[in-house]
Amino acid sequence: MLKTGLFEAVQPHLPNSYKQMSDEELIERIRERKRQLGKDLFIPGHHYQKDDVIQFADETGDSLQLAQVSANNQQSSFIVFCGVHFMAETADILTNANQSVILPDLRAGCSMADMADKQQTERAWSHLTDLFGESIIPLTYVNSSADIKAFVGRHGGATVTSSNAKKMLEWAFSQKKRILFLPDQHLGRNTAYDLGIPLDEMVVWNPIKEVIEESEDLSKVKMILWKGHCSVHENFRMDHVNQLREKDPERKILVHPECSWEVTQAADLAGSTRFIIEQVEKAPAGTKWSIGTEMNLVKRLEKTFPEQSITSLNPEMCPCLTMNRIDLPHFSWALDEVFAGRLTNQIKVDEKIALDARRAIERMLHI
Ligand code: 13P
Ligand code: SF4
């Protein structure tokens, strides 16, 4: 069992037999295990998962939806999570003690979540409360470790997702004058700007140098943005936007708010993975899109809506390598382990950490 707080994942060696099986054999094997485990097994799948994995998901969704379906699931003993580590942790925090959450490959982490650890956050809080006193409330994007969620829960704050960030910031500003927003500076900046907060009332906290970067007048600061980002969404740049606007001005640009402020401002629309899917779903045939988010989702949209023209904002495409760690061999192996009664790759958040983290998540789910 992998106990977190500390995410020290060591993925067990995948038996060679799984690597040697054809996709057809693996698919057949997974189908059979799903049938055998029945209601005892629940498979949530994030929109960024590969097609050959997501076809087995009992529920698909963005981070908020997956947190909600995990919280609502009372009957399945085994939750085999097709997504990344922080999502599996959230599922473990929200489910009962007799339910086990399994991540098919422990290397399925999130580079952004790794950009804030507990020690850095404690030190930042100490510096920032010296500077700003009691005027700060912490918010963390769900793309963060259980430790960070617990820190936020202990200090009266909440989690946010890309689909409720605006609402959560409004709530936080009703509590305190300033927000410390972890770990994605872009989601924090994009959302605050949307709420009318000018850029000169936002500063960036650099957790490596332990300083606020480029600040002129600290008294007017409302948003303190943790210097973290998504290594997939940083690959959508202004040169892509400019080239596209010149070449094909009719094409609509639709991006995830983990993209930079410049790209998000230049886009026609920005929102969570669910928002992105909904925009395409409701658009008429012939609509042209250029989408700034993870490759598996863009390709799926392309396939599902052939009557629209869908391309990636970055022609070189941007896969999330950690999401892609969940593949048919690992998934099939994880189900076989469950079937054999072994809780291999279980994600278990330490009780004390889970208690504080749950407070932060539940505040979000209630708002
Ligand atoms: P969503 O909550 O929009 O699904 O985003 C999760 C994520 O990791 C995006 O990179
Ligand atoms: Fe993390 Fe970015 Fe992958 Fe989302 S796309 S899971 S934020 S690395």
Side-chain angles (χ1 to χ4, degrees):
M1 178 200 301
L2 178 76
K3 270 221 172 193
T4 56
L6 301 173
F7 177 25
E8 289 170 351
V10 182
Q11 170 62 27
H13 186 67
L14 182 73
N16 272 340
S17 54
Y18 289 90
K19 297 181 201 159
Q20 282 151 7
M21 273 185 250
S22 68
D23 283 1
E24 290 70 27
E25 280 174 283
L26 289 163
I27 287 171
E28 202 34 60
R29 210 178 163 95
I30 293 167
R31 271 206 197 111
E32 180 58 9
R33 287 291 180 247
K34 266 199 86 168
R35 197 191 57 74
Q36 288 164 322
L37 289 160
K39 288 249 178 295
D40 240 7
L41 171 70
F42 180 64
I43 303 172
H46 187 265
H47 294 309
Y48 289 167
Q49 290 288 296
K50 299 173 202 270
D51 279 353
D52 47 11
V53 169
I54 204 98
Q55 64 175 315
F56 295 107
D58 295 309
E59 292 270 2
T60 59
D62 65 10
S63 305
L64 179 63
Q65 290 170 304
L66 295 182
Q68 283 163 334
V69 295
S70 307
N72 293 339
N73 183 301
Q74 303 285 317
Q75 80 273 16
S76 305
S77 310
F78 308 105
I79 297 176
V80 176
F81 209 104
C82 294
V84 287
H85 187 264
F86 73 81
M87 297 178 180
E89 277 191 332
T90 304
D92 179 57
I93 291 166
L94 294 175
T95 48
N96 301 326
N98 53 5
Q99 294 177 291
S100 307
V101 178
I102 313 282
L103 187 63
D105 188 334
L106 294 180
R107 295 166 302 176
C110 163
S111 56
M112 176 199 287
D114 292 342
M115 288 178 195
D117 70 26
K118 187 177 165 219
Q119 286 74 22
Q120 288 173 328
T121 308
E122 299 276 6
R123 283 201 297 271
W125 190 249
S126 152
H127 272 91
L128 294 168
T129 47
D130 280 352
L131 268 177
F132 296 113
E134 301 268 295
S135 67
I136 322 170
I137 183 167
L139 287 184
T140 186
Y141 191 18
V142 285
N143 297 31
S144 54
S145 68
D147 269 329
I148 302 303
K149 293 183 177 81
F151 171 90
V152 165
R154 277 197 300 280
H155 290 88
T159 56
V160 321
T161 73
S162 52
S163 51
N164 62 21
K166 211 166 161 181
K167 221 195 252 182
M168 293 309 299
L169 256 69
E170 280 171 334
W171 168 79
F173 280 127
S174 74
Q175 308 293 306
K176 295 278 170 96
K177 186 175 169 194
R178 299 183 171 90
I179 295 173
L180 167 63
F181 192 92
L182 297 116
D184 183 16
Q185 58 170 308
H186 300 303
L187 180 65
R189 185 179 293 110
N190 288 330
T191 313
Y193 192 80
D194 242 21
L195 284 174
I197 298 176
L199 293 183
D200 65 357
E201 293 179 12
M202 304 186 209
V203 288
V204 173
W205 172 260
N206 182 326
I208 308 294
K209 295 186 179 157
E210 300 191 355
V211 288
I212 290 179
E213 290 186 343
E214 293 171 39
S215 57
E216 275 167 29
D217 178 3
L218 285 182
S219 67
K220 61 181 185 186
V221 168
K222 293 215 177 82
M223 281 298 281
I224 305 156
L225 305 163
W226 192 268
K227 195 172 185 175
H229 65 271
C230 164
S231 45
V232 175
H233 289 86
E234 74 170 353
N235 292 321
F236 299 104
R237 298 184 308 269
M238 277 312 286
D239 50 299
H240 298 127
V241 173
N242 294 335
Q243 277 160 24
L244 188 91
R245 291 294 193 211
E246 205 176 299
K247 208 173 77 195
D248 195 355
E250 270 170 52
R251 193 170 281 275
K252 287 192 185 154
I253 299 182
L254 170 57
V255 301
H256 195 280
E258 287 174 16
C259 290
S260 72
W261 178 80
E262 290 79 5
V263 168
T264 308
Q265 285 304 303
D268 298 291
L269 293 161
S272 72
T273 53
R274 171 171 44 161
F275 176 86
I276 290 173
I277 296 167
E278 284 169 357
Q279 300 319 299
V280 177
E281 262 169 2
K282 68 183 186 197
T287 307
K288 296 204 277 178
W289 298 102
S290 180
I291 302 184
T293 199
E294 204 273 341
M295 184 177 85
N296 286 324
L297 175 55
V298 178
K299 283 197 166 156
R300 187 169 310 124
L301 289 170
E302 228 179 300
K303 248 194 266 165
T304 317
F305 300 97
E307 71 286 4
Q308 300 187 36
S309 163
I310 296 169
T311 56
S312 171
L313 179 56
N314 178 343
E316 268 140 47
M317 290 294 233
C318 304
C320 174
L321 297 176
T322 48
M323 282 274 180
N324 273 345
R325 291 272 185 197
I326 314 295
D327 55 13
L328 288 177
H330 285 89
F331 186 41
S332 175
W333 167 75
L335 295 184
D336 286 350
E337 289 291 292
V338 169
F339 189 70
R342 290 187 289 270
L343 290 178
T344 312
N345 283 14
Q346 185 183 6
I347 303 297
K348 185 86 200 127
V349 179
D350 174 88
E351 252 323 297
K352 215 167 143 305
I353 295 169
L355 196 75
D356 289 332
R358 197 175 299 121
R359 279 200 237 158
I361 300 168
E362 282 178 352
R363 274 187 201 118
M364 169 184 82
L365 294 176
H366 290 143
I367 288 167

